[in-house]
């Protein structure tokens, strides 16, 4: 729903209603920002002012499972194809092509949207490599061990029980680099907000099958940057190194040394610089020229 100020405050798809943070110049080139687990659109709060300063409009949704109006209970409703279709519905609501940025699970979804949609002008994936590269790394490197928590999250109810204040889930997040402020935000915006079961649904749908991991092809054909940090305990280097073979367009890798997995909150300036460099490489959007009416036969 577009408010009186022209902002997209909510949008609907698949019978669900999604909340959106729409800010920056309304006439700026739009940038869609996709959060990961276990965060919401607020994870971009330190990044968006830096994009607004450069004349860009940002739209950051609370995705499926996170928005109160978009919390289906069935595991199959969190398959990747549904998550990507949610993002495409937001792009359709914007009404023009967008630059796409995603962190963590948001990056996994962004890869898929960029591979399928004609409405993505550039992609900046943060932390997570191309999904097929990630899958290959699971079988050929320590990535399988680093992803142990994905198997834990398959269990019913137990992960939710582990999310008590000061409990094992918070310990896991802290060891991965979350600071006190981020952990407080996790308690407030995920656990107390009732978003944790839906957030875990993204993991619980992973092994359902159905072939929707990368429907419509795997190759990304828009200019792409992958931002990865060598202090990331969840994402090993192997998938990062395999990613370029799945991008048939200008590609750049930005490695942030000494940075944890939580790049948008830990290094917003460096991330914004990478996003801006990728967007500038594409240039401003130019409106399509109107078609010239064909001259009558007698005038040729």
């Amino acid at each position: 729903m577009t408010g009186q100020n022209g902002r997209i405050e909510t949008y609907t798809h698949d019978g669900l209603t999604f909340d959106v943070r729409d800010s920056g110049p309304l006439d700026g080139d739009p940038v869609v920002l996709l959060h990961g687990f276990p965060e919401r659109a607020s994870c971009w709060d330190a990044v968006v002012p830096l994009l607004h300063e450069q004349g860009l409009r940002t739209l950051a949704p609370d995705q499926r499972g996170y928005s109160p109006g978009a919390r289906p209970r069935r595991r199959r409703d969190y398959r990747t194809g549904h998550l990507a279709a949610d993002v495409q519905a937001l792009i359709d609501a914007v009404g023009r092509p967008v630059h796409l940025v995603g962190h963590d699970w948001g990056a996994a979804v962004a890869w898929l949207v960029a591979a399928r949609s004609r409405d993505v002008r550039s992609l900046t994936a943060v932390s997570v490599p191309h999904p097929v590269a990630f899958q290959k790394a699971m079988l050929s490197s320590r990535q399988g061990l680093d992803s142990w928590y994905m198997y834990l999250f398959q269990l019913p109810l137990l992960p939710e029980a582990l999310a008590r204040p000061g409990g094992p889930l918070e310990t896991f997040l802290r060891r991965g680099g979350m600071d006190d402020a981020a952990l407080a935000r996790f308690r407030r915006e995920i656990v107390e907000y009732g978003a944790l079961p839906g957030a875990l649904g993204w993991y619980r749908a992973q092994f359902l099958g159905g072939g929707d991991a990368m429907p419509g092809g795997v190759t990304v054909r828009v200019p792409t940057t992958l931002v990865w940090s060598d202090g990331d305990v969840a994402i090993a280097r192997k998938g990062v190194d395999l990613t370029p073979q799945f991008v048939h367009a200008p590609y750049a890798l930005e490695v942030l040394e000494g940075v944890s997995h939580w790049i948008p909150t830990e290094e917003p300036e460096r991330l914004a610089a990478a996003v801006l460099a990728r967007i500038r490489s594409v240039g401003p959007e130019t409106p399509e020229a109107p078609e010239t009416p064909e001259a009558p036969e007698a005038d040729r």
Side-chain angles (χ1 to χ4, degrees), residues 251-292:
Y251 172 79
L253 169 64
E254 295 283 344
V255 178
L256 305 185
E257 297 181 355
V259 179
S260 78
H261 177 75
W262 312 104
I263 294 174
T265 52
E266 188 174 340
E267 287 291 345
E269 293 86 0
R270 294 167 71 182
L271 176 55
V275 172
L276 289 168
R278 175 47 65 202
I279 290 174
R280 288 168 179 156
S281 77
V282 177
E285 183 181 6
T286 55
E288 294 184 5
E291 293 185 6
T292 303

Side-chain angles (χ1 to χ4, degrees), residues 1-193:
M1 176 183 296
T2 302
Q4 294 182 350
N5 57 1
R7 299 291 182 184
I8 298 176
E9 299 171 351
T10 63
Y11 74 99
T12 59
H13 175 251
D14 201 19
L16 306 173
T17 300
F18 299 83
D19 299 328
V20 183
R21 294 188 178 200
D22 179 355
S23 53
L26 274 172
D27 60 349
D29 282 356
V31 183
V32 170
L33 302 163
L34 304 178
H35 65 78
F37 174 90
E39 297 182 300
R40 289 169 45 205
S42 60
C43 74
W44 301 106
D45 282 356
V47 176
V48 292
L50 304 173
L51 303 183
H52 297 162
E53 289 174 1
Q54 302 303 314
L56 298 169
R57 175 186 180 187
T58 60
L59 300 103
D62 283 347
Q63 297 183 82
R64 184 175 291 228
Y66 294 83
S67 288
R71 294 177 181 172
R73 300 186 65 176
R74 301 177 304 182
R75 285 194 302 162
R76 63 177 179 266
D77 290 327
Y78 292 91
R79 285 174 168 161
T80 313
H82 293 307
L83 307 174
D86 294 339
V87 176
Q88 182 61 53
L90 173 57
I91 297 173
D92 293 342
V94 174
R96 54 187 289 197
V98 306
H99 299 281
L100 194 55
V101 182
H103 174 244
D104 185 77
W105 258 113
V109 173
W111 282 109
L112 175 53
V113 175
R116 295 172 58 182
S117 177
R118 296 181 179 181
D119 299 316
V120 175
R121 302 185 64 219
S122 75
L123 169 65
T124 303
V126 188
S127 298
V128 172
H130 186 283
V132 178
F134 183 82
Q135 293 167 10
K136 290 179 177 291
M138 288 278 285
L139 301 174
S140 60
S141 71
R142 65 181 180 86
Q143 184 62 69
L145 295 174
D146 290 344
S147 299
W148 62 269
Y149 58 91
M150 294 184 180
Y151 304 99
L152 172 66
F153 290 168
Q154 302 304 310
L155 300 174
L157 302 178
L158 179 60
E160 287 91 335
L162 297 177
R164 65 183 183 275
L169 184 52
E170 287 194 5
T171 299
F172 165 67
L173 295 172
R174 186 182 296 278
R175 288 177 178 173
M178 266 199 181
D179 60 18
D180 290 341
L183 284 170
R185 184 160 46 87
F186 163 70
R187 293 186 209 108
R188 181 177 64 254
E189 296 191 0
I190 302 298
V191 180
E192 296 172 8
Y193 195 59

